[in-house]
Amino acid sequence: MAEPYDTITRPDVFAPAKSTFNCLIGQLADPAAETFTHDRLEEVLAEAGRELLRRLLQAHLDLRAERERQHIVRERATSAAAVTAAVTGADRVVRHRVETGHHRQLATIFGTVTVARRAWRASGAPNLYPADAALSLDITGTRWGLAGAEAVLKLRAVISCGDFAAYWRYHLDRERQRVHQTRCRDRYALTA
């Protein structure tokens, strides 16, 4: 029996994240890093760490897309499933045709990633993207976490009430205390 054409070994989707992680370790292990102040170390870790997290998220999304593709191939491989493999939308239209090559950009707290997905199609009906629904992207294309949504609502309320200038002064004062006063309080003794 011939092998199905889709059993090609896929590259490791996590390879870019692993490479970023290894580069970060190399940067921190380099003797030159010993000259970094703690704030420079934080900057390096924040920047490279955010990119690492973005690449991990991208790898996970790529893995989901590959598993979605494999699931569709498995369903279509059986003769009974080939007839019944379909997706029904909220509009009650059954979509039997699946199309690959659809992508969308997703803005995340780690940076922009690309979501690859399959479109289920029927004549005269809009495409359905089950991968979008699984990621809660079906409404707006982005998904605020609860904390992010709450922050946006608070900021909108502050702006609409005309209190932004006072809020911004408060924010800057708190940030100054967090960054400077707590960092330096044990380093210097006040003398009269």
Side-chain angles (χ1 to χ4, degrees):
M1 185 171 163
E3 286 287 318
Y5 69 91
D6 64 333
T7 58
I8 300 168
T9 303
R10 304 281 180 219
D12 180 9
V13 295
F14 289 96
K18 290 174 184 176
S19 176
T20 300
F21 181 70
N22 289 332
C23 286
L24 178 57
I25 290 173
Q27 189 175 8
L28 293 173
D30 189 301
E34 292 178 18
T35 65
F36 291 175
T37 59
H38 87 278
D39 56 330
R40 178 65 183 132
L41 281 169
E42 287 177 346
E43 289 172 9
V44 168
L45 285 170
E47 184 179 324
R50 187 169 299 276
E51 178 60 14
L52 173 61
L53 294 173
R54 188 194 69 75
R55 287 184 179 213
L56 285 169
L57 179 57
Q58 182 65 65
H60 175 77
L61 294 172
D62 293 346
L63 185 61
R64 278 187 180 208
E66 177 59 22
R67 287 178 177 164
E68 181 186 31
R69 184 196 68 76
Q70 290 172 355
H71 176 74
I72 292 168
V73 167
R74 275 193 307 274
E75 276 193 7
R76 298 274 168 116
T78 63
S79 59
V83 176
T84 60
V87 173
T88 303
D91 55 6
R92 297 189 181 166
V93 174
V94 179
R95 292 154 176 89
H96 289 281
R97 290 180 292 140
V98 66
E99 186 176 274
T100 61
H102 289 249
H103 299 84
R104 78 183 303 165
Q105 299 294 301
L106 175 62
T108 74
I109 61 172
F110 309 119
T112 303
V113 293
T114 302
V115 180
R117 64 240 172 89
R118 307 299 185 260
W120 288 85
R121 303 177 56 108
S123 295
N127 292 347
L128 283 184
Y129 301 97
D132 285 6
L135 290 166
S136 297
L137 303 178
D138 48 339
I139 299 172
T140 64
T142 59
R143 177 73 169 103
W144 290 96
L146 186 57
E150 185 177 334
V152 168
L153 289 174
K154 283 181 181 178
L155 188 57
R156 286 181 181 170
V158 165
I159 291 170
S160 67
C161 292
D163 294 336
F164 183 75
Y167 164 77
W168 191 245
R169 282 191 304 274
Y170 170 79
H171 172 75
L172 290 177
D173 184 53
R174 296 291 300 218
E175 188 66 7
R176 183 179 55 76
Q177 288 176 9
R178 183 186 71 82
V179 172
H180 298 291
Q181 290 179 351
T182 58
R183 181 186 299 170
C184 300
R185 73 173 169 223
D186 297 332
R187 202 182 285 176
Y188 305 106
L190 295 176
T191 59

